[in-house]
């Protein structure tokens, strides 16, 4: 079942001769339980596709459907609600909120959605526990290692039954051991029914995905990279 | 280890997350306030100072000496009837007064020789009297109740070395000191208090009454009796209202500076706010982060400011008590105003945070996540609303100036011009950057940065130009006001002068039909006063026409007026140019032209049109009947220039031509040095005895004082804003500075960058502020431009337009130049 669907999406920045076409007539869908890697050279439109899929940006043309509902027809508040309830993001540089502890960072999306603090905290603790960082729940972001930050970031992205997980170079700032651990967690989330989308340059990382979408100059040029290496067995 | 997908807890609200979301956001915002303390410090300090200053200002305003001066003499009565102590029918007279006026409070007085100029009186008074109660307070011991008991003030105790329980021989009697007392409203009052009826032969009996003047005049008072009236309370705004208005204006100004500070904070938090939006915060949530920040800063400033203000007030109390000469109670504060100041601080901080909050909430999430400040609207778009507002402002001011000076129109006009200029400020920054496109690198970069980050440079520029605009409006406005030779404005008297008027009516240019005290008695009392306080005494006479009509027992005296239609504008008190007065100012009567009607020190008075010398004052039935049109005015600079000094004299020639005669009305009393409170008190006591009043130097400053103070205040404020904001503005380009350093920029380049930033903001602020002030003046005085704004305050304008930018540049240049610690990227955490 497609949780996120992009239909003939184009995105341009600027106007006239100086316009930059980041995406050109892209149609793609992301299903529940599957992890899709988006690959391509710099400037190919990978991150733009991710942000449009996550309702962070409006397409210039085309439409985006999340759970069958057209996002472009939604109000700003409705989009915010959609992001609170359905879409989680994991960024390369973690983007944890300063001033909030790990558990508070994870609980914040729930609290923003009106969940009472106690219940939000308890759900956040569950998420942290599942990711193996519950022992660091009271730490502030600057007291955590890179791997721990990214786990907290993933916990924040999946907490509260979110069904779409969008990740942008999730292991870019991590060493290989931590990177593999994080990929395992993302993969695990997808096995539980989450639709995962991962932007990456790394072919090795792409091998964790069920499908790979190749982008070049804003266009999808192939469903899978021709020379994709086999994914590690333990991760499957 | 497995990926988590914690179940969504139920009860999430459908809309914006409700109270739970707000609580979470506010909680985070409060944590951020602690993290970004340094950036908050600017707004926090300014608001704290503003609240503190308002508390102290309000406290000083409600404890004004003027109120105490009246209460210290009259208590809660409105008239004092002074009866001679040797009145053979004193008891009958007192009974008659009581019968006619109801409640009375009697104070018997007998002077005690002290061997010094300081007068001391033995005073028999009921401490719980109906009207005199505010004038008496027990400091130690108890009030006297028996025939040989006395309570003394501190001065008397010192003078006679008296102690509680000790004995004192005064006026031929032996008295036991049972208490220490004071007049809390007049601490200079030196007296010894005895129980009522304990002065056998008083030299004077004061009767405090609350009655109308006509009721008192209807009583047949004995010879030598005099009636003194409490001055009517000054009209206009109450001091607390003025303090509140000033506080509101000050907070508005601080709000502008705070906007720049909050803008920097918003920029620092841009990526975090972008992240918050990415996981589902609404625009309202994003705004709440900044507004909660503002409220926290406001609450902290309100509490700290109130604390600082109250502590400062505790230090001010003894100083004010000494200078004002009356008891000041620490807790006598307008608590409502203190609360209002605290609330204003919170509202100002929240409002200042609102604009940056709105701006960051509108930045696209992707731009926010990358820390990009977002898209700027082209500055030319601000030009149209700016010009429209300027035009509307000018229109309102022209309407206000053309009519009767309606304050709402004036305020709306000034606001229109100020907000119009604010809209044009970004255009000015962009224009300056464009003008300097070929300037050396550092200058070019500094101006370009100002234009790039104009959301905060615009706020700083607005604060600077408002500071300068206010200063320039004050300077121009007062120059115009003080240049009016008919309605003279300025200090009333010099610090070493006082005027003793024989009767309250004399002060307003009238002469009472009857007086109970003879001229000789008055002269003797005033000469005695002059001798006791070592002052020169010059009689001042008013000119009265024998046929002048009398209104309410007061005859109007000759006056000089500018007549416009049916409107008479008085030029103030006109005294007679007596030989004694002329001699006092070193003027030879032969210097006065044979045909001159009036001599004056007011330079522009000779050129004023429609002047009339009216022998009947305002009592003249019609202008055509009695006006002495176009009197010849001669300017003599040796005459004094202060408002209540004899600066407008009618000549012997005019006196004869108009058949006027001179009536003694007042006395100019002049000491070598500034008058002391004791000297003023002695004069006040004499005035009470005579039924007259005194006038001493008020608080009105001179024109140059006002202009210099306004310019200095404007410049200091502007420099303060620059000191607080240039660092913030440059902090945004810290990354560029690192790159610049990495590419080999020297300390001079870095210094020049900061210097030019500060200097350019100062210059633009000075130009915009002065320009806006002149627009206000042109709109307001458009009918009388040639006479009202022809006196350009050159020195002050030079200080503002040249001095301010130069000091700002120098300050920025000298204080900058530190090499950035690292050339690195700052992550969100």
């Amino acid at each position: 079942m497609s949780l996120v669907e992009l239909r003939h999406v184009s995105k341009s920045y600027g106007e006239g001769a100086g316009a930059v076409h980041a995406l050109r007539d892209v149609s793609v869908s992301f299903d529940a339980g599957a992890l899709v890697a988006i690959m391509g050279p710099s400037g190919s439109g990978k991150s733009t596709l991710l942000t449009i899929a996550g309702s962070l940006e409006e397409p210039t043309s085309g439409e985006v459907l999340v759970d069958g509902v057209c996002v472009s027809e939604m109000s700003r508040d409705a989009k915010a609600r959609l992001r609170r309830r359905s879409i989680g993001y994991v960024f390369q540089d973690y983007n944890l909120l300063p001033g909030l502890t790990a558990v508070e960072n994870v609980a914040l999306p729930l609290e923003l959605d009106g969940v009472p603090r106690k219940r939000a905290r308890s759900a956040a603790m569950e998420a942290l526990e599942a990711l193996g960082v519950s022992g660091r729940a009271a730490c502030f972001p600057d007291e955590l290692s890179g791997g721990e930050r990214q786990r907290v970031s993933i916990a924040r992205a999946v907490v509260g039954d979110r069904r779409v997980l969008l990740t942008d170079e999730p292991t870019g700032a991590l060493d290989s051991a931590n990177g593999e651990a994080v990929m395992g967690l993302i993969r695990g989330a997808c096995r539980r029914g989450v639709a995962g989308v991962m932007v990456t340059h790394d072919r090795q990382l792409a091998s964790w995905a069920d499908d790979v979408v190749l982008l070049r100059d804003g266009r999808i040029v192939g469903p899978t990279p021709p020379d994709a290496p086999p994914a590690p067995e333990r991760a499957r | 280890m497995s990926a988590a997908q914690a179940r969504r807890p139920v009860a999430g609200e459908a809309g914006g997350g409700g109270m739970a979301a707000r609580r979470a956001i506010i909680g985070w915002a409060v944590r951020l306030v602690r993290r970004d303390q340094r950036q908050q410090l600017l707004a926090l300090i300014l608001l704290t100072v503003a609240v503190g200053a308002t508390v102290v200002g309000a406290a000083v305003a409600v404890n004004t000496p003027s109120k105490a001066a009246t209460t210290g003499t009259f208590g809660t009565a409105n008239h004092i009837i002074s009866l001679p102590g040797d009145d053979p029918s004193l008891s009958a007279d007192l009974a008659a007064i009581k019968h006619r006026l109801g409640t009375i409070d009697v104070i018997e007085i007998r002077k005690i020789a002290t061997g010094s100029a300081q007068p001391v009186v033995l005073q028999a008074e009921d401490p719980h009297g109906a009207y005199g109660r505010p004038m008496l307070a027990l400091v130690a011991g108890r009030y006297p109740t028996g025939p040989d008991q006395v309570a003394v003030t501190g001065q008397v105790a010192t003078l006679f070395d008296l102690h509680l329980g000790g004995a004192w021989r005064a006026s031929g009697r032996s008295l036991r000191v049972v208490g220490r007392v004071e007049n809390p409203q007049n601490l200079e009052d030196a007296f010894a208090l005895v129980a009522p009826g304990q002065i056998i032969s008083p030299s004077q009996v004061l009767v405090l009454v609350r009655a109308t003047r006509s009721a008192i005049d209807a009583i047949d008072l004995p010879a030598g009796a005099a009636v003194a009236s409490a001055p009517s309370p000054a009209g206009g705004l109450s001091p607390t209202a003025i303090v509140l208005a000033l506080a509101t204006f000050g907070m508005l100004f601080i709000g502008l500076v705070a906007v720049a500070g909050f803008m920097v904070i918003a920029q620092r938090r841009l990526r975090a706010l972008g992240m918050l939006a990415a996981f589902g915060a609404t625009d309202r949530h994003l705004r709440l982060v900044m507004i909660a920040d503002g409220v926290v800063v406001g609450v902290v400033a309100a509490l700290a400011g109130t604390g600082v203000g109250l502590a400062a007030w505790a230090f001010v109390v003894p100083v004010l008590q000494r200078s004002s000469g009356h008891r000041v109670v620490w807790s006598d504060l307008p608590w409502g105003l203190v609360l209002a100041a605290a609330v204003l601080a919170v509202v100002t901080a929240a409002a200042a945070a609102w604009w940056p909050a709105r701006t960051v909430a509108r930045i696209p999430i992707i731009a926010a996540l990358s820390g990009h400040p977002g898209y700027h609207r082209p500055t030319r778009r601000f030009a149209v609303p700016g010009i429209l507002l300027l035009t509307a402002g000018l229109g309102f001011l022209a309407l206000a100036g053309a009519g009767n000076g309606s304050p709402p129109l004036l305020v709306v006009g000034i606001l229109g011009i100020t907000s119009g200029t604010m809209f044009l400020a970004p255009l000015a920054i962009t224009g300056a950057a464009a003008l300097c496109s070929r300037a050396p690198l550092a200058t070019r970069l500094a101006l370009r940065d100002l234009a790039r980050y104009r959301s905060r440079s615009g706020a700083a520029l607005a604060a600077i130009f408002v500071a300068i605009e206010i200063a320039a409006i004050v300077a121009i406005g007062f120059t115009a006001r003080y240049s009016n030779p008919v309605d003279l404005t300025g200090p009333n008297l010099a610090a070493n002068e006082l005027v003793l008027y024989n009767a309250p009516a004399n002060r307003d240019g009238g002469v009472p039909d009857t007086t109970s005290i003879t001229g000789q008695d008055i002269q003797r009392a005033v000469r005695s006063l002059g001798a006791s306080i070592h002052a020169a005494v010059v009689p001042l006479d008013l000119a009265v026409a024998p046929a002048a009509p009398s209104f309410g027992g007061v005859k109007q005296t000759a006056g000089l007026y500018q007549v416009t239609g049916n409107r008479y504008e008085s030029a103030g008190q006109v005294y007679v140019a007596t030989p004694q007065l002329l001699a006092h100012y070193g003027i030879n009567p032969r210097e006065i032209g044979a045909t001159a009607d009036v001599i004056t020190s007011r330079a522009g008075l000779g050129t004023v049109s429609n002047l009339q010398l009216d022998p009947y004052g305002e009592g003249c039935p019609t202008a055509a009947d009695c006006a002495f049109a176009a009197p010849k005015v001669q300017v003599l600079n040796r005459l004094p220039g202060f408002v209540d000094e004899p600066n407008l004299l009618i000549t012997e020639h005019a006196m004869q031509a108009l058949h006027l005669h001179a009536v003694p009305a007042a006395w100019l009393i002049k000491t070598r040095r500034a008058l002391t409170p004791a000297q003023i008190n002695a004069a006040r006591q004499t005035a009470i005895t005579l039924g007259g009043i005194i006038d001493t130097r008020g608080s009105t400053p001179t024109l140059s004082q006002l202009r210099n103070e306004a310019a200095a205040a404007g410049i200091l404020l502007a420099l303060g804003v620059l000191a607080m904001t240039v660092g913030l503005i440059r902090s945004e380009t810290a990354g560029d500075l690192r790159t610049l350093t990495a590419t080999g920029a020297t300390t001079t380049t870095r210094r020049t960058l900061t210097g030019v930033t500060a200097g350019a903001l100062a210059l633009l602020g000075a130009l915009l502020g002065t320009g806006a002030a002149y627009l206000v003046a042109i709109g307001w005085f458009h009918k009388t431009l040639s006479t009202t704004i022809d006196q350009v305050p050159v020195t002050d304008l030079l200080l503002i337009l040249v001095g301010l930018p130069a000091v700002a540049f120098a300050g920025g240049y000298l204080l900058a130049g530190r090499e950035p610690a690292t050339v690195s990227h700052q992550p969100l955490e």
Side-chain angles (χ1 to χ4, degrees):
Chain A
M1 189 183 90
S2 282
L3 277 180
V4 181
E5 194 177 348
L6 277 72
R7 291 181 183 165
H8 307 290
V9 166
S10 295
K11 177 72 182 175
S12 305
Y13 298 102
E15 287 172 11
V20 175
H21 301 285
L23 291 178
R24 298 165 194 258
D25 196 27
V26 170
S27 294
V28 65
S29 60
F30 307 112
D31 298 339
L35 176 64
V36 176
I38 299 172
M39 296 190 70
S42 292
S44 60
K46 305 184 295 292
S47 294
T48 304
L49 191 149
L50 195 76
T51 55
I52 286 176
S55 80
L56 297 181
E57 237 179 331
E58 284 291 311
T60 309
S61 63
E63 56 183 21
V64 180
L65 287 91
V66 176
D67 254 347
V69 180
C70 184
V71 173
S72 51
E73 286 167 8
M74 290 180 175
S75 66
R76 280 172 73 89
D77 279 359
K79 280 183 201 163
R81 191 160 57 241
L82 176 77
R83 288 194 294 272
R84 283 202 300 268
R85 296 186 172 175
S86 303
I87 303 168
Y89 293 92
V90 177
F91 295 90
Q92 180 179 347
D93 45 6
Y94 329 123
N95 283 0
L96 296 179
L97 292 179
L100 293 184
T101 62
V103 68
E104 286 167 342
N105 257 291
V106 178
L108 192 58
L110 296 175
E111 289 187 66
L112 285 180
D113 206 28
V115 176
R117 190 164 64 168
K118 235 178 181 172
R119 269 186 281 174
R121 292 282 173 98
S122 120
M125 275 308 289
E126 264 180 57
L128 287 172
E129 206 168 321
L131 288 158
V133 279
S134 57
R136 312 287 285 157
C139 295
F140 286 96
D142 50 9
E143 296 166 347
L144 299 171
S145 69
E148 287 169 337
R149 287 185 208 183
Q150 199 58 302
R151 285 174 201 213
V152 174
S153 178
I154 294 169
R156 186 180 61 186
V158 298
V159 75
D161 244 354
R162 285 212 183 87
R163 302 180 66 197
V164 180
L165 179 61
L166 306 174
T167 66
D168 194 352
E169 304 280 6
T171 62
L174 301 176
D175 58 38
S176 58
N178 268 311
E180 280 206 4
V182 163
M183 279 314 299
L185 294 170
I186 293 170
R187 183 69 237 172
C190 293
R191 266 206 297 269
R192 279 163 177 74
V194 170
V197 183
M198 172 177 65
V199 164
T200 183
H201 277 102
D202 188 342
R203 285 170 186 276
Q204 180 69 31
L205 221 55
S207 66
W208 288 80
D210 300 304
D211 293 302
V212 177
V213 173
L214 259 184
L215 277 177
R216 180 163 295 145
D217 298 331
R219 286 197 175 89
I220 295 178
V221 292
T224 50
D227 51 349
E233 197 53 43
R234 54 183 156 67
R236 297 274 172 180
Chain B
M1 200 159 56
S2 64
Q5 195 176 341
R7 294 257 163 242
R8 160 170 295 278
V10 217
E13 290 186 26
M19 187 54 82
R22 279 197 290 275
R23 199 168 43 222
I25 293 282
I26 290 168
W28 181 51
V30 172
R31 300 252 186 101
L32 288 180
V33 174
R34 289 212 296 262
R35 280 175 65 91
D36 297 332
Q37 279 173 4
R38 214 160 62 88
Q39 284 72 24
Q40 321 273 4
L41 216 56
L42 165 67
L44 188 66
I45 290 172
L46 285 176
L47 288 168
T48 303
V49 169
V51 175
T54 306
V55 171
V56 176
V60 172
V62 297
N63 289 284
T64 46
S66 57
K67 175 187 146 199
T70 307
T71 324
T73 307
F74 291 85
T76 51
N78 62 355
H79 291 95
I80 296 177
I81 303 171
S82 168
L83 301 175
D86 54 2
D87 176 9
S89 55
L90 185 62
S91 303
D93 287 334
L94 287 173
I97 294 169
K98 190 170 183 180
H99 174 70
R100 297 294 288 270
L101 304 178
T103 309
I104 61 170
D105 201 355
V106 178
I107 302 172
E108 294 166 308
I109 284 171
R110 184 180 177 80
K111 283 191 178 159
I112 302 170
T114 62
S116 74
Q118 173 75 15
V120 171
V121 294
L122 195 62
Q123 193 165 302
E125 178 185 357
D126 178 4
H128 310 294
Y131 304 121
R133 210 177 311 156
M135 296 192 287
L136 207 53
L138 190 65
V139 179
R142 61 178 176 79
Y143 285 119
T145 49
D148 53 358
Q149 294 174 358
V150 68
V152 295
T153 61
Q155 297 96 316
V156 176
T158 309
L159 199 63
F160 295 101
D161 192 24
L162 302 177
H163 306 280
L164 275 183
W168 180 35
R169 190 155 184 82
S171 298
R173 298 161 62 185
S174 181
L175 300 164
R176 192 160 57 85
V177 181
V178 296
R180 281 278 297 279
V181 288
E182 67 178 16
N183 178 349
Q185 304 298 332
N186 182 5
L187 297 174
E188 297 296 331
D189 213 352
F191 61 94
L193 181 77
V194 293
Q198 291 306 312
I199 297 178
I200 296 57
S201 50
S203 52
Q204 194 183 13
V205 176
L206 300 179
V207 187
L208 276 62
V209 296
R210 273 196 80 78
T212 59
R213 182 66 200 228
S214 55
I216 297 170
D217 288 343
I219 303 170
D220 187 18
L221 293 173
V227 180
S229 307
S232 46
L237 289 170
S238 73
T240 46
I242 293 169
V243 172
L244 184 62
L246 286 174
T248 310
F249 205 77
M251 294 281 186
L252 266 176
F253 174 75
I254 289 167
L256 280 175
V257 180
V259 167
F262 282 117
M263 210 54 141
V264 171
I265 293 163
Q267 176 62 32
R268 274 174 65 87
R269 295 178 183 168
L270 195 54
R271 295 180 65 215
L273 292 172
M275 195 58 224
L276 198 64
F279 59 71
T282 61
D283 290 355
R284 210 172 300 125
H285 292 146
L286 299 180
R287 285 197 297 268
L288 186 59
V289 175
M290 289 305 299
I291 291 169
D293 191 333
V295 171
V296 171
V297 169
V299 168
V300 173
L303 292 173
T306 307
V308 167
L310 291 177
W313 170 234
F315 282 101
V316 170
V317 165
V319 179
L320 185 67
Q321 206 160 265
R322 270 196 301 278
S323 65
S324 64
H326 66 86
R327 187 66 64 202
V328 177
V329 183
W330 184 86
S331 59
D332 194 5
L333 279 169
W335 291 103
L337 187 55
V338 172
L339 183 69
V343 171
L344 259 180
V346 178
V347 171
T348 302
W354 179 83
W355 181 258
R358 179 178 173 275
T359 307
V360 289
R362 287 180 164 196
I363 293 174
I365 299 171
I366 296 302
L369 280 170
S370 61
H372 190 271
Y375 166 72
H376 280 299
R377 290 202 315 174
T379 46
R380 61 178 180 277
R381 290 197 184 180
F382 295 104
V384 174
I387 289 167
L388 284 176
L389 280 165
L390 276 182
T391 314
L394 268 174
F396 280 115
L397 282 168
L399 277 176
N404 55 1
S406 152
L409 284 178
L410 179 66
V411 171
V412 171
I414 292 176
L415 284 178
I417 284 183
T418 306
S419 47
T421 315
M422 271 187 201
F423 271 92
L424 295 177
L427 201 66
I429 294 176
T430 317
L435 270 177
C436 296
S437 58
R438 290 177 189 278
L441 173 78
T443 307
R444 199 167 67 233
L445 264 182
L447 287 165
R448 212 173 274 171
D449 285 345
L450 281 180
R452 275 171 67 199
Y453 303 109
R454 59 177 173 271
S455 50
R456 76 202 53 176
S457 59
L461 179 58
I464 294 165
F465 102 71
V466 169
I468 297 299
E469 184 193 10
I470 295 166
I473 286 178
V474 170
I476 296 167
F478 277 110
T479 304
R481 179 68 191 85
Y482 275 58
S483 67
N484 185 346
V486 176
D487 185 9
L488 199 61
T489 308
N492 58 338
L493 292 164
N496 65 335
E497 291 176 335
L498 70 84
V499 177
L500 192 154
Y501 297 94
N502 294 350
N506 294 145
R507 192 173 185 275
D508 304 321
V511 174
D513 291 336
T514 54
T515 50
S516 48
I517 300 180
T518 65
Q520 275 185 337
D521 288 343
I522 295 172
Q523 200 167 358
R524 201 176 304 122
V526 176
R527 299 273 177 220
S528 158
L529 169 71
S532 71
I533 64 172
H534 310 292
V537 175
V538 185
L540 301 172
D541 295 351
L542 291 170
V544 182
S550 175
F551 295 98
V554 176
K555 211 172 238 187
Q556 291 302 303
T557 60
L560 189 68
Y561 298 90
Q562 185 182 28
V563 184
T564 317
N566 291 326
R567 190 163 162 246
Y568 271 41
E569 170 112 55
S570 170
Q573 195 90 299
V574 181
Y575 291 110
V576 178
T578 58
Q580 203 176 350
L581 186 57
L582 292 175
H584 179 73
Y585 289 109
I587 298 169
N588 188 327
R590 276 178 298 197
E591 290 177 56
I592 301 169
T595 55
D597 300 307
V598 171
I599 56 169
T600 182
S601 57
R602 306 179 198 181
L605 196 62
T607 58
V608 171
S609 58
N610 302 327
L611 275 185
Q612 288 186 1
L613 182 58
D614 190 337
Y616 302 106
E618 288 177 289
C620 184
T622 64
D625 289 343
C626 56
F628 185 72
K632 193 170 177 193
V633 177
Q634 182 182 350
V635 175
L636 280 171
N637 291 329
R638 263 169 293 160
L639 283 172
F642 290 146
V643 175
D644 285 341
E645 286 180 327
N647 57 59
L648 191 58
L649 308 180
I650 185 165
T651 61
E652 187 56 39
H653 162 74
M655 290 285 285
Q656 284 174 5
L658 294 169
H659 310 293
L660 302 172
H661 68 265
V663 174
W667 306 81
L668 177 68
I669 296 171
K670 205 168 178 179
T671 51
R672 282 176 188 273
R673 295 194 181 85
L675 285 155
T676 64
Q679 288 171 320
I680 294 171
N681 193 44
R684 191 179 291 133
Q685 299 299 338
T686 304
I688 289 173
T689 314
L690 300 174
I693 54 169
I694 62 162
D695 217 354
T696 53
R697 186 182 172 91
S699 54
T700 312
T702 62
L703 176 60
S704 57
Q705 242 178 321
L706 268 171
R707 286 206 303 217
N708 295 344
E709 281 171 11
I715 289 172
L716 281 176
L717 263 179
L719 286 174
V721 172
L722 282 168
M724 291 178 282
T725 53
V726 166
L728 292 176
I729 292 165
R730 293 298 324 162
S731 72
E732 188 158 28
T733 56
D736 298 352
L737 196 60
R738 290 188 192 102
T739 313
L740 212 59
T741 306
T743 53
T746 61
T747 308
T748 309
T749 311
R750 293 195 297 272
R751 284 184 187 282
T752 310
L753 271 172
T754 310
V756 170
T757 303
L761 279 176
L763 180 63
L764 289 173
L767 286 169
L768 289 174
T770 314
Y774 266 98
L775 277 180
V776 169
I778 289 167
W780 174 243
F781 300 119
H782 68 282
K783 278 187 157 179
T784 53
L785 275 185
S786 58
T787 52
T788 46
I789 61 167
D790 60 336
Q791 292 179 40
V792 178
V794 179
T795 317
D796 300 304
L797 284 183
L798 275 178
L799 276 173
I800 288 172
L801 293 170
V802 180
L804 171 63
V807 172
F809 175 82
Y813 188 88
L814 291 172
L815 296 174
R818 195 159 51 91
E819 194 164 318
T822 51
V823 182
S824 65
H825 163 74
Q826 189 185 358
L828 182 64
E829 302 87 337

